[in-house]
């Protein structure tokens, strides 16, 4: 299966919505072939209006799809897996975005013959700019290609070892919020030095985009690019040193580490990863 015909997304909240819209905006899927479920499907009315099949019947959605994407909360996963297990066949591919839940834990419900791939995208997926990490064990290695078919059109993907999926949650999924907070802080600084709020936010966001694109296009270490704009006795080095004195880098590092520790604790039955 190079590309699935029909995809079901179970437990559609913010992330599931972004995945669904991203699949359709990529041009690879029609909304009618992306089935969405939620315990309260009325909360998905805007998606229904856009042509997505919406409902609360997980079993029916699974039976009508080739690939099942799990987007439920970790504490809800066991119940959903127990519910859909009778409908899952070895022909299905299960993609789990649930943080902290191992492939082995999922197979405990679905059986040893079901291909399971873990994926950790972020909400940038809605605009085709996700950083998605993928992981599979040896038994599911062939299914990774299908996961690539889903996520390669929605940003960048990187295959990692399964034990790196919890850190990926902190750096990529949580990380987008951390960078958004940095942009907000920069815009607040811009207001203080004289820009209107909308101007400051636009300036900060575009500057952040430029910085990211510079690294992605050049492949350089950030310090190389920093050195290019840091002159002796210049304003940049004064600003950088002040931020470091205030703990900018250490705060960001500690935030990522703390998020990783918390991510590992989200699933009640998680083994240490």
């Amino acid at each position: 299966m190079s590309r699935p015909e029909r995809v079901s997304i179970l437990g559609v909240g913010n992330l599931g919505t972004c995945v669904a819209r991203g699949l359709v905006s990529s041009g690879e899927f029609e909304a009618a072939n992306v089935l969405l479920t939620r315990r309260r499907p009325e909360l998905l009315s805007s998606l229904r209006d856009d042509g997505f099949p919406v409902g609360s019947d997980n079993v029916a959605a699974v039976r009508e799809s080739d690939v099942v994407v799990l987007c439920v909360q970790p504490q809800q996963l066991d119940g959903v897996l127990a519910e859909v297990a009778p409908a899952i066949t070895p022909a299905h591919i299960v993609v789990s975005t649930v943080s902290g839940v191992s492939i082995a834990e999922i197979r405990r419900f679905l059986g040893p013959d079901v291909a399971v791939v873990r994926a950790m995208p972020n909400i940038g997926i809605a605009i085709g700019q996700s950083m998605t990490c993928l992981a599979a064990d040896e038994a599911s290695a062939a299914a990774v290609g299908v996961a690539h078919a889903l996520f390669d059109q929605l940003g960048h993907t990187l295959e990692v070892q399964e034990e790196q999926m919890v850190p990926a949650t902190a750096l990529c999924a949580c990380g987008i919020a951390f960078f958004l907070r940095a942009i907000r802080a920069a815009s607040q600084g811009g207001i203080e030095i004289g820009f209107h709020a909308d101007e400051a936010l636009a300036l900060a966001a575009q500057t952040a985009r430029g910085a990211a694109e510079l690294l992605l296009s050049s492949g350089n270490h950030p310090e190389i690019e920093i050195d290019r704009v840091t002159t002796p006795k210049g304003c940049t080095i004064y600003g950088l040193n002040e931020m470091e004195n205030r703990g900018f880098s250490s705060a960001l590092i500690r935030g990522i580490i703390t998020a990783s520790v918390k991510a590992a604790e989200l699933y009640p039955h998680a083994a240490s990863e």
Side-chain angles (χ1 to χ4, degrees):
M1 186 194 305
S2 59
R3 187 178 73 81
E5 294 298 323
R6 304 198 86 192
V7 176
S8 60
I9 303 176
L10 311 186
V12 178
N14 290 332
L15 178 59
T17 296
C18 290
V19 172
R21 292 201 181 280
L23 290 174
V24 172
S25 65
S26 73
E28 295 295 319
F29 291 87
E30 295 182 359
N33 291 327
V34 182
L35 290 70
L36 312 180
T37 71
R38 183 169 179 161
R39 286 184 296 180
R40 296 179 58 195
E42 66 272 13
L43 297 177
L44 303 178
S45 58
S46 63
L47 289 163
R48 179 186 284 112
D49 292 343
D50 289 337
F52 291 92
V54 170
S56 60
D57 191 335
N58 291 326
V59 172
V62 166
R63 286 177 173 156
E64 295 179 28
S65 58
D66 309 303
V67 173
V68 178
V69 182
L70 301 171
C71 283
V72 299
Q73 295 298 314
Q75 62 270 23
Q76 299 169 338
L77 182 63
D78 286 6
V80 170
L81 289 176
E83 176 189 3
V84 303
I88 295 284
T89 73
H92 282 101
I93 292 175
V94 175
V95 178
S96 172
T97 68
V98 186
S99 182
V101 185
S102 69
I103 292 170
E105 290 282 359
I106 294 171
R107 285 217 183 94
R108 184 166 62 89
F109 289 88
L110 304 184
D113 299 325
V114 176
V116 179
V117 180
R118 291 178 64 180
M120 184 47 61
N122 61 39
I123 60 172
I125 203 167
I127 58 168
Q129 291 296 330
S130 178
M131 180 64 248
T132 302
C133 289
L134 303 173
D137 61 7
E138 187 175 347
S140 299
V144 175
V146 174
H148 276 292
L150 291 177
F151 294 105
D152 282 355
Q153 304 299 318
L154 307 176
H156 297 274
T157 57
L158 178 68
E159 289 183 45
V160 301
Q161 297 299 309
E162 187 177 7
E163 60 265 24
Q164 294 176 295
M165 289 302 286
V166 164
T169 302
L171 186 55
C172 301
C174 303
I176 201 166
F178 302 156
F179 288 112
L180 287 168
R181 180 58 60 86
I183 292 170
R184 190 192 79 166
S187 71
Q188 290 175 318
I191 296 169
E192 189 163 339
I193 60 176
F195 291 103
H196 292 292
D198 56 342
E199 296 172 332
L201 183 56
L203 291 167
Q206 179 59 37
T207 301
R209 173 191 277 179
E213 291 289 348
L214 194 61
L215 295 181
L216 291 171
S217 62
S218 70
N220 287 336
H221 191 279
E223 289 302 324
I224 292 176
E225 303 300 340
I226 288 171
D227 285 346
R228 291 181 179 178
V229 296
T230 306
T231 56
K233 294 187 176 181
C235 54
T236 303
I237 190 60
Y238 279 95
L240 286 170
N241 286 344
E242 179 64 18
M243 284 189 285
E244 290 306 316
N245 287 336
R246 300 285 182 173
F248 178 81
S249 293
S250 61
L252 186 54
I253 292 166
R254 292 304 308 171
I256 290 170
I257 293 171
T258 301
S260 182
V261 171
K262 182 63 177 177
E265 300 171 347
L266 292 176
Y267 182 57
H269 311 297
S272 177
E273 292 198 36

